[in-house]
């Protein structure tokens, strides 16, 4: 029921030199939790607002449930939107805020009561129904805003940064609640955030955007494991993936990744990626996640890592409780490594590390495109 189709959608705002949304082409499957993520200004909200009918589509088509929707007014689209700023009516009670949309649609009184009470129970705000918005905390207001969307029982929920006004603890709590609501309702959710952690924890599928363009669409783990380009690789994951510039060279049938100071053997499993890369191999970026920079001295020494070792000068140590992040330098290259929480290493020390070359990524330096994972257009 709640499937949405974006067919080569563009948004040109007056006075903007480039399209704010550029060829957005995607099918949203019924029941999925789709997250649009990317830095501020990349076109997420505009995309969502075009789906809601709050912005005109400049070019391309939007279909909801198979129906061409470009010119359907927002109120006639069977979707509910939740905003960052709650958008509650201050003079109405919580009950009336939640009921208003249904009353305007002439839903029978008994039905309105039933739906409001059911949503309030689900969100654990039944005890607040008689209060006014100014008597509520930020978290409670956002629940009311969610409740108002829930009672509509729409085909799709659209959410634009709904958690960004909440403090860290409430944000985590409400995040879990939204995930729960989605799994109970099994309705389509389209959710906008600039926060990659939020995207990774909530989405069943994530759309990474930059400068109005889709960079990659994939389930969270796949996005993390197989980023299609440098931007996605750097944006998803915290602390972010390490990048080293260098060349891939071949000597006596063996490939190495080489910088001015390092020469690391590349496992054979990568060789097939290099066949079509040609001259691109001279200017590549190696990407390695902090958890794949091995610091444990017992592990570093093992035979399998023999050609993957080098020394790092530790500059800073960030203790996170479960883990420690070590920030170090290998020549002019900066590296972040994830180490054991109780690692005895101190800033100023030199540490032998092994870079897990069986887990690294390679990107073409100029285009940023991955040499390992082919670009797939959705
Ligand atoms: P995001 O949600 O990813 O932060 P937006 O969709 O809000 O990004 O904005 C995308 C781009 O469109 C930005 O460059 C922004 O300045 C521009 N933009 C957004 N709304 C308008 C508007 N009403 N008029 C002109 N430009 C706009």
């Amino acid at each position: 029921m709640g499937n949405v189709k974006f067919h080569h959608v563009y948004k040109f705002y007056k006075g903007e030199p480039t399209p704010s949304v550029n060829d957005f082409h995607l099918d949203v499957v019924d029941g999925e939790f789709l997250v649009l993520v990317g830095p501020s200004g990349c076109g997420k909200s505009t995309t969502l607002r075009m789906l809601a009918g709050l912005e005109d589509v400049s070019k391309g088509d939007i279909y909801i449930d198979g129906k061409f929707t470009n010119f359907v007014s927002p109120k006639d689209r069977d979707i509910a939107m939740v905003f960052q700023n709650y958008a509650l009516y201050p003079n109405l009670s919580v009950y009336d805020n939640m009921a208003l949309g249904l009353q305007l649609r002439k839903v029978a009184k008994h039905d309105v009561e039933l739906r409001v009470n059911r949503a309030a129970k689900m969100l654990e705000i039944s005890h607040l129904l008689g209060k006014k918005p100014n008597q509520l905390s930020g978290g409670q207001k956002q629940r009311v805003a969610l409740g108002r969307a829930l009672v509509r029982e729409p085909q799709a929920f659209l959410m634009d940064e709904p958690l960004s006004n909440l403090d860290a603890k409430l944000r985590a709590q409400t995040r879990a609640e939204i995930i729960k609501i989605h799994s109970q309702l099994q309705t389509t959710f389209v959710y906008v955030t600039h926060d990659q952690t939020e995207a990774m924890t909530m989405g069943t599928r994530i759309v990474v955007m930059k400068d109005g363009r889709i960079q990659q669409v994939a389930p969270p783990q796949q996005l993390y494991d197989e980023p299609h380009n440098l931007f996605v690789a750097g944006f998803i994951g915290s602390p972010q993936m390490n990048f080293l510039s260098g060349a891939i060279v071949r000597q006596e049938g063996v490939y190495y990744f080489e910088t001015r100071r390092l020469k690391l053997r590349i496992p054979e499993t990568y060789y097939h990626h290099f066949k079509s890369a040609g001259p691109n191999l001279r200017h590549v970026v190696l990407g390695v996640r902090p958890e794949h920079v091995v610091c444990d001295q017992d592990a570093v020494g093992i035979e399998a890592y023999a050609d993957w070792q080098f020394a790092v000068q530790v500059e800073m140590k960030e203790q996170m409780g479960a883990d420690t992040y070590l920030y170090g330098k290998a020549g002019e290259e900066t590296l972040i490594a994830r180490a054991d929480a109780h690692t005895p290493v101190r800033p100023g020390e030199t540490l032998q590390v092994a870079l897990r070359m069986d887990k690294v990524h390679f990107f073409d330096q100029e285009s940023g495109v991955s040499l390992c994972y082919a670009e797939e257009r959705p």
Side-chain angles (χ1 to χ4, degrees):
M1 285 283 284
N3 62 329
V4 173
K5 192 180 182 73
F6 290 91
H7 189 80
H8 299 292
V9 169
Y10 290 76
K11 178 70 184 183
F12 304 97
Y13 283 113
K14 263 206 189 94
E16 291 283 322
T18 51
S20 295
V21 175
N22 194 336
D23 199 14
F24 195 96
H25 188 67
L26 183 75
D27 284 344
V28 187
V29 184
D30 183 26
E32 79 172 311
F33 196 135
L34 187 85
V35 178
L36 309 184
V37 71
S40 179
C42 72
K44 309 177 293 288
S45 287
T46 302
T47 304
L48 196 75
R49 291 170 63 81
M50 285 192 287
L51 176 55
L54 302 172
E55 286 291 348
D56 294 335
V57 174
S58 306
K59 196 173 134 192
D61 306 325
I62 294 178
Y63 299 85
I64 299 177
D65 199 16
K67 192 174 141 214
F68 178 64
T69 304
N70 285 39
F71 305 114
V72 176
S73 80
K75 67 175 176 36
D76 296 327
R77 299 184 188 202
D78 194 4
I79 51 185
M81 185 134 172
V82 180
F83 299 93
Q84 174 179 347
N85 60 5
Y86 322 127
L88 301 177
Y89 293 101
N91 300 326
L92 298 184
S93 67
V94 166
Y95 182 94
D96 288 333
N97 263 288
M98 287 169 68
L100 186 67
L102 300 179
Q103 289 160 348
L104 292 175
R105 282 179 169 74
K106 309 262 184 281
V107 175
K109 190 160 177 261
H110 171 74
D111 218 16
V112 172
E113 263 175 43
L114 202 76
R115 289 206 219 174
V116 171
N117 286 326
R118 193 161 53 204
K121 200 164 160 210
M122 197 163 175
L123 292 160
E124 295 172 19
I125 50 171
S126 302
H127 60 295
L128 303 175
L129 288 173
K131 296 203 185 261
K132 294 272 174 63
N134 66 5
Q135 296 172 288
L136 307 180
S137 70
Q140 290 170 334
K141 280 184 203 160
Q142 192 52 288
R143 276 160 200 256
V144 177
L146 281 169
R148 186 178 48 187
L150 281 179
V151 298
R152 294 264 315 273
E153 299 176 2
Q155 290 209 19
F157 290 92
L158 312 188
M159 304 194 180
D160 193 351
E161 305 259 9
L163 308 185
S164 52
N165 282 347
L166 306 180
D167 66 40
K169 194 167 162 216
L170 252 181
R171 205 159 53 221
Q173 239 174 44
T174 316
R175 192 164 79 195
E177 215 135 272
I178 293 176
I179 296 171
K180 198 175 86 189
I181 291 172
H182 175 258
S183 73
Q184 281 174 5
L185 297 178
Q186 297 287 316
T187 307
T188 309
F189 278 44
V190 184
Y191 187 104
V192 160
T193 178
H194 64 276
D195 179 345
Q196 65 91 28
T197 310
E198 219 166 279
M200 290 293 281
T201 50
M202 300 180 88
T204 50
R205 210 157 57 117
I206 299 175
V207 181
V208 183
M209 294 179 72
K210 179 186 172 236
D211 299 337
R213 281 186 177 276
I214 293 180
Q215 302 294 305
Q216 188 170 353
V217 184
Q221 196 61 47
Q222 194 183 344
L223 210 54
Y224 189 81
D225 293 339
E226 302 177 1
H228 284 179
N229 62 36
L230 269 176
F231 177 78
V232 175
F235 191 78
I236 300 291
S238 174
Q240 81 159 54
M241 188 185 277
N242 296 292
F243 296 120
L244 306 176
S245 295
I248 294 172
V249 295
R250 192 170 169 201
Q251 284 165 1
E252 293 168 10
V254 179
Y255 283 99
Y256 296 89
F257 173 74
E258 219 173 47
T259 69
R260 223 181 299 165
R261 284 184 70 256
L262 305 176
K263 185 171 176 185
L264 306 167
R265 182 181 50 81
I266 300 173
E268 280 180 32
T269 48
Y270 283 79
Y271 289 9
H272 69 280
H273 297 308
F274 304 151
K275 293 226 162 67
S276 57
N280 294 341
L281 294 177
R282 298 303 310 171
H283 300 284
V284 302
V285 175
L286 174 149
V288 62
R289 298 227 178 255
E291 61 269 34
H292 296 139
V293 182
V294 181
C295 298
D296 174 1
Q297 293 303 291
D298 292 337
V300 169
I302 69 169
E303 174 78 26
Y305 300 163
D307 305 331
W308 298 348
Q309 292 182 23
F310 54 92
V312 168
Q313 173 94 24
V314 178
E315 295 194 317
M316 194 182 90
K317 186 171 170 179
E318 196 173 56
Q319 265 169 315
M320 304 296 290
D323 300 305
T324 297
Y325 292 109
L326 299 175
Y327 292 69
K329 281 225 145 163
E332 57 270 35
E333 312 280 8
T334 303
L335 269 184
I336 306 175
R338 191 176 84 188
D340 184 84
H342 302 287
T343 181
V345 178
R346 293 217 188 97
E349 287 178 8
T350 301
L351 181 70
Q352 193 72 3
V353 300
L355 211 145
R356 287 283 305 268
M357 291 297 286
D358 53 339
K359 302 285 188 190
V360 299
H361 304 257
F362 292 106
F363 304 92
D364 174 51
Q365 186 154 45
E366 199 180 310
S367 65
V369 172
S370 171
L371 303 182
C372 306
Y373 305 107
E375 183 77 41
E376 284 166 32
R377 284 295 288 162

